[in-house]
């Protein structure tokens, strides 16, 4: 009688790989953070393509490449194709990071993930990629490793420093906007998966919230790409016009900052719009946005529980409650890794050690997300992404974002209109 080969689920593999990267950093193996900032061709050559910076990029590549190989071995995936495909994905991702690092591009707050996605989409729609190439793309693995590393930035002490008013507004906005968004989605008969990703993106912190929610519910990559496209497209006009609207309404800098920080979905756009108003507005908008960002892990945790429970009910029975064992079996284990890492960096890792490694880990976390979106683009059809026969998610997003703007303004006026 042959015994079944031992296998580890992808979620546990993600936890193992994420913790291994963190342990390496805590042990002193700190990968330097490469710079991708440039404003001219001379700056590009002297900064981004300097010997030292290329060495930092190569070091990051060595880390993520070896991590991907170990992941493939643990998951019993085709190693030969990965050895070929991963360096190509990395090269395309570095190109996206370079494009996003341009000074002019930064003014428009276009994030690296949108360039990663666009590059992948262009290649996949103008060239026919072989199936073995697509099979070697491990999008979910990359996203989940990035999410485990995201736990290093969610420090409970920092939440208290964000300010009581910022935290109060963040809680009120996230809860009210999330539930309204989800209610609108369900009224429009949008599926639960899209509803959860869209609601989180509108109410919490845009791209990061959509990614975290998708990971928590094992979401479809095409739906995730669509939601992120909506977030990035709407962030630019909001960033430009809301400061002028606030000026027309004669709002104080404090109220304006709270409004911008709670309404605009991407952190970069919040900083840019706050800067247009003034120093106090920039300070308040950053505090409020940070307060919303730190709620991301908590939201992802509860969304995971809700999704696991509802999925268990749908799949197993309509009459009997699902058992705790069944819920645990379906619960995404990488969320456990995220919470563990967050607690570890909040209460165990010394602040001095965290200060030494946080930039390195944050850069690697961003790289995993960028690698994931390059992969999504390479496996996605352009028409499927932007030519949606069902316009309901777009309508839901517009309605939810409008509600977000109005409710956040009212809460900001109530809390910050001293």
């Amino acid at each position: 009688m042959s015994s079944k080969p031992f296998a580890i689920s992808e979620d546990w593999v993600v936890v193992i790989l994420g913790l291994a990267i963190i342990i390496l950093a805590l042990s002193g193996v700190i990968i330097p953070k490469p710079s991708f900032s440039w404003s001219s061709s001379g700056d590009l050559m002297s900064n981004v393509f300097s010997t030292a910076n290329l060495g930092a990029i190569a070091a990051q590549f060595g880390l993520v490449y070896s991590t991907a190989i170990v992941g493939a071995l643990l998951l019993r995936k085709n190693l030969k194709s990965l050895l070929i495909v991963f360096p190509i994905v990395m090269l395309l991702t570095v190109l996206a990071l370079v494009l996003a690092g341009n000074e002019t591009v930064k003014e428009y707050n276009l994030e690296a993930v949108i360039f990663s996605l666009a590059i992948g989409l262009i290649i996949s729609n103008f060239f026919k990629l072989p199936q073995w190439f697509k099979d070697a793309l491990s999008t979910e693995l990359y996203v989940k490793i990035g999410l485990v590393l995201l736990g290093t930035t969610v420090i409970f002490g920092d939440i208290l420093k964000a300010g009581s008013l910022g935290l109060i507004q963040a809680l009120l906005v996230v809860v009210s906007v999330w539930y309204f968004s989800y209610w609108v989605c369900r009224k429009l008969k949008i599926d639960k998966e899209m509803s959860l990703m869209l609601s989180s993106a509108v109410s919490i912190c845009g791209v990061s919230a959509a990614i975290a929610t998708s990971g928590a519910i094992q979401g479809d990559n095409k739906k995730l790409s669509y939601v992120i496209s909506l977030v990035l497209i709407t962030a630019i006009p909001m960033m430009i016009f809301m400061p002028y609207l606030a000026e027309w309404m004669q709002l104080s800098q404090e109220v304006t900052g709270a409004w911008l920080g709670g309404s605009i979905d991407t952190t970069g756009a919040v900083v840019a719009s706050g800067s247009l108003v003034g120093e106090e507005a920039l300070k308040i908008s950053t505090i409020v946005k940070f307060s919303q960002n730190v709620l991301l892990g908590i939201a992802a945790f509860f969304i995971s529980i809700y999704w696991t429970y509802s999925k268990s009910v749908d799949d197993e029975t309509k009459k009997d409650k699902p058992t705790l064992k069944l819920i645990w079996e379906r619960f995404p284990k990488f969320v456990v890794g995220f919470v563990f890492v967050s607690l570890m960096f909040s209460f165990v890792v010394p602040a001095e050690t965290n200060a030494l490694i946080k930039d390195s880990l944050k850069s690697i976390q961003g790289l995993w997300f960028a690698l994931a979106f390059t992969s999504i683009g390479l496996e996605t059809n352009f028409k499927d992404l932007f030519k949606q026969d069902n316009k309901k998610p777009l309508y839901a997003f517009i309605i939810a974002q409008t509600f977000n703007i109005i409710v956040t303004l009212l809460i900001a006026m109530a809390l910050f209109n001293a």
Side-chain angles (χ1 to χ4, degrees), residues 17 63-75 79 82-83 86 141:
L17 297 178
L63 177 66
V64 294
Y65 194 24
S66 57
T67 303
I69 291 171
V70 173
L73 291 171
L74 291 174
L75 293 170
L79 187 59
L82 173 71
L83 294 174
F86 192 92
L141 184 76

Side-chain angles (χ1 to χ4, degrees), residues 9-32:
S9 69
E10 182 175 271
D11 276 353
W12 281 125
V13 168
V14 165
V15 173
I16 293 169
L17 297 178
L19 288 176
I21 292 172
I22 292 169
I23 290 170
L24 278 176
L26 291 173
S27 302
V29 184
I30 303 173
I31 306 298

Side-chain angles (χ1 to χ4, degrees), residues 241-410:
F241 292 114
M242 285 184 68
Y244 297 106
L245 183 59
E247 183 180 3
W248 177 77
M249 296 171 67
Q250 298 184 334
L251 300 177
S252 67
Q253 284 209 24
E254 291 81 1
V255 172
T256 301
W259 187 32
L260 297 174
S263 301
I264 300 175
D265 290 324
T266 64
T267 304
V270 166
V271 172
S273 59
S275 301
L276 291 175
V277 180
E279 186 175 337
E280 188 63 22
L282 175 60
K283 175 186 172 183
I284 298 295
S285 65
T286 304
I287 288 174
V288 170
K289 177 50 63 179
F290 179 76
S291 299
Q292 285 184 298
N293 288 343
V294 296
L295 294 175
L296 173 60
I298 299 171
F301 180 76
F302 284 107
I303 287 171
S304 299
I305 294 175
Y306 163 76
W307 181 256
T308 305
Y309 184 88
S310 62
K311 187 177 178 184
S312 298
V313 171
D314 292 341
D315 291 352
E316 297 298 322
T317 177
K318 295 292 183 182
K319 297 179 181 178
D320 300 325
K321 290 184 178 180
T323 63
L324 289 175
K325 179 182 177 183
L326 182 61
I327 290 177
W328 171 248
E329 287 174 354
R330 292 172 180 258
F331 187 80
K333 308 303 186 299
F334 79 91
V335 175
V336 177
F338 172 90
V339 173
F340 175 78
V341 168
S342 180
L343 291 172
M344 184 171 71
F345 273 73
S346 296
F347 303 110
V348 179
V349 176
E352 298 79 11
T353 304
N354 187 21
L356 290 173
I357 65 177
K358 66 178 182 179
D359 286 344
S360 172
L361 289 177
K362 186 173 178 59
S363 178
I364 294 168
Q365 168 212 311
L367 177 59
W368 281 115
F369 285 152
L371 287 165
F373 275 87
T374 303
S375 302
I376 290 174
L378 290 170
E379 62 187 7
T380 302
N381 186 282
F382 189 84
K383 293 180 180 178
D384 292 341
L385 183 61
F386 293 105
K387 189 179 179 181
Q388 296 279 329
D389 293 331
N390 184 2
K391 301 293 184 183
K392 289 182 179 179
L394 172 62
Y395 302 149
F397 187 88
I398 293 172
I399 294 170
Q401 194 63 277
T402 303
F403 178 82
N404 181 25
I405 291 170
I406 295 171
V407 167
T408 304
L409 174 60
L410 294 175

Side-chain angles (χ1 to χ4, degrees), residues 38-50:
W38 60 284
S39 57
S40 63
S41 57
D43 197 21
L44 180 66
M45 297 305 298
S46 62
N47 185 30
V48 179
F49 292 143
S50 66

